[in-house]
Amino acid sequence: MKTKILELAKDLIQESGANAFSYQDLANVLGIKKASIHYYFPHKDDLLIELVEFYSSELEKFLSMISKTSSEPDLEMDEYLKMYEGISSSENKLCLCGILAGEIVTLSPLLREKINKFFVLQETWLIKILMEGESAKKFNLKGASPDSVAKTILASLQGALVIARSLHDPSFFKQVLKQVRENYEK
Amino acid sequence: MKTKILELAKDLIQESGANAFSYQDLANVLGIKKASIHYYFPHKDDLLIELVEFYSSELEKFLSMISKTSSEPDLEMDEYLKMYEGISSSENKLCLCGILAGEIVTLSPLLREKINKFFVLQETWLIKILMEGESAKKFNLKGASPDSVAKTILASLQGALVIARSLHDPSFFKQVLKQVRENYEK
DNA sequence: GTCTATACAAAGATAGAC
DNA sequence: GTCTATCTTTGTATAGAC
């Protein structure tokens, strides 16, 4: 049940954010009473923290899976971008940490840290891949630092998710994605 | 007083979002009772709609002011990007419509339309400037369409605002900004 | 582990006095 | 226009029975 709660909370928050979703929403879908959810997560913050940890560990697994499956930087980057495409094509959802970052001011200090680690994790991974791709002559950063390009890719993807969803325009995301590749492709 | 309410609501929402701010918050700062705010804006949605209209008209004025002051596309673009830098350097704030877009699922249909018009307004302006810059041989879009580049600039800036604020790292925004220029500079 | 019941606070909103 | 007072609903949370 604990896992079911986390999975559902993830979906609901990716749609509405942390402030607009409630234990009642969870209870309605799961067919239990909201008091029962407090058994697993006494405070909402407990749930949010565990959720971000869960989400981050999923990402971590995904990123290391990529590196094992395909050893070519360009293919690894493709897999990474495909992950974002998946979020964009799932109706009405954003990246969990992207939507939470928009609410960051209203969240607890510990939760903020966890969210920030999520971004740093991606940035670090991107830098690594970009450097590998450059060394292997697969990428061309056109004089920019891997650091700058990594940050820009991350920002573009997160921003594109938000705007594309708002506009109900999946092609918005796709166009940005295509343009993002220009930052590192030869 | 109506203007004061709008100005304050703008600040509060740019920090916390529409769902996490209340009439009580406004009343506390303005030194009046929350019932008094209902006199100006019977429903919260009324306030939000008028606020987005207000914010969009400010943007519209700003964009046409740019075009009158400096007639060079590259300088106009600089002014536009400076506006975003201003948001990023104002502690804890995002673009009003950026933060609302993150909450879009929880907002009224009319409000959604207004928010979307805000993005379209910027995109349209960016396309125009990019095309002018290309014609004047000031910009180089490297084979990409003005449309794609405009969407990417918009997404990058909005995403960078969110992440930079979350990380408490103004340099994150600055690095992305520098990289964004690579999309159109010669 | 899930329930009922309940406490407590906050939010959006309205009525009517001044 | 602003106030007091009040209503209604919702959200977070806890106590204690089963």
Side-chain angles (χ1 to χ4, degrees), chain B:
Chain B
M1 179 57 76
K2 196 173 182 180
T3 315
K4 273 170 98 171
I5 293 171
L6 283 173
E7 291 279 9
L8 178 58
K10 190 179 89 168
D11 288 348
L12 293 181
I13 296 175
Q14 282 187 281
E15 284 197 11
S16 312
N19 292 318
F21 108 105
S22 70
Y23 275 32
Q24 189 64 61
D25 296 330
L26 293 171
N28 289 342
V29 178
L30 294 171
I32 55 174
K33 299 296 165 182
K34 61 175 178 172
S36 308
I37 301 174
H38 282 281
Y39 169 77
Y40 298 99
F41 305 100
H43 307 276
K44 198 178 178 184
D45 198 45
D46 300 328
L47 191 162
L48 294 175
I49 287 169
E50 214 164 309
L51 184 53
V52 172
E53 284 172 347
F54 175 63
Y55 195 74
S56 287
S57 78
E58 274 193 332
L59 172 71
E60 212 155 359
K61 269 183 252 166
F62 176 74
L63 294 181
S64 64
M65 184 271 288
I66 290 179
S67 296
K68 272 165 197 158
T69 310
S70 57
S71 57
E72 299 301 318
D74 50 342
L75 297 176
E76 294 179 49
M77 190 65 91
D78 282 349
E79 289 301 315
Y80 172 80
L81 296 176
K82 231 180 260 175
M83 172 188 72
Y84 270 93
E85 271 190 294
I87 298 173
S88 179
S89 62
S90 71
E91 195 70 30
N92 275 332
K93 282 191 191 162
L94 298 185
C95 164
L96 179 76
C97 290
I99 199 164
L100 291 179
E103 305 179 282
I104 202 82
V105 173
T106 69
L107 304 177
S108 76
L110 181 53
L111 186 50
R112 293 184 195 192
E113 275 182 49
K114 303 276 180 191
I115 292 166
N116 287 341
K117 274 187 186 167
F118 174 86
F119 289 123
V120 172
L121 173 62
Q122 276 190 61
E123 195 188 326
T124 307
W125 183 85
L126 279 168
I127 291 173
K128 190 195 73 178
I129 295 294
L130 289 169
M131 291 177 76
E132 286 176 11
E134 224 182 3
S135 299
K137 315 262 183 204
K138 293 253 184 187
F139 294 164
N140 177 9
L141 306 192
K142 289 114 182 165
S145 70
D147 190 51
S148 292
V149 175
K151 286 179 166 68
T152 303
I153 293 174
L154 186 54
S156 308
L157 293 171
Q158 291 286 341
L161 282 179
V162 175
I163 298 171
R165 184 186 70 163
S166 184
L167 297 174
H168 290 293
D169 179 8
S171 80
F172 187 101
F173 185 83
K174 281 177 194 149
Q175 274 186 274
V176 173
L177 188 57
K178 198 180 163 204
Q179 190 65 20
V180 160
R181 293 185 198 272
E182 298 297 319
N183 283 292
Y184 65 85
E185 279 186 347
K186 296 211 95 170

Side-chain angles (χ1 to χ4, degrees), chain A residues 79-118:
Chain A
E79 290 300 314
Y80 173 80
L81 297 175
K82 234 181 256 174
M83 172 187 73
Y84 269 94
E85 269 190 295
I87 297 172
S88 179
S89 62
S90 70
E91 196 70 30
N92 276 331
K93 283 191 190 159
L94 298 185
C95 163
L96 179 77
C97 290
I99 199 163
L100 291 179
E103 305 179 284
I104 202 80
V105 173
T106 70
L107 304 177
S108 76
L110 182 53
L111 187 50
R112 293 184 196 192
E113 274 181 51
K114 303 276 180 190
I115 293 166
N116 287 340
K117 275 187 185 167
F118 173 86

Side-chain angles (χ1 to χ4, degrees), chain A residues 22-23 34-35 38 43-44:
Chain A
S22 69
Y23 276 32
K34 59 178 178 173
H38 283 282
H43 306 276
K44 198 178 178 183

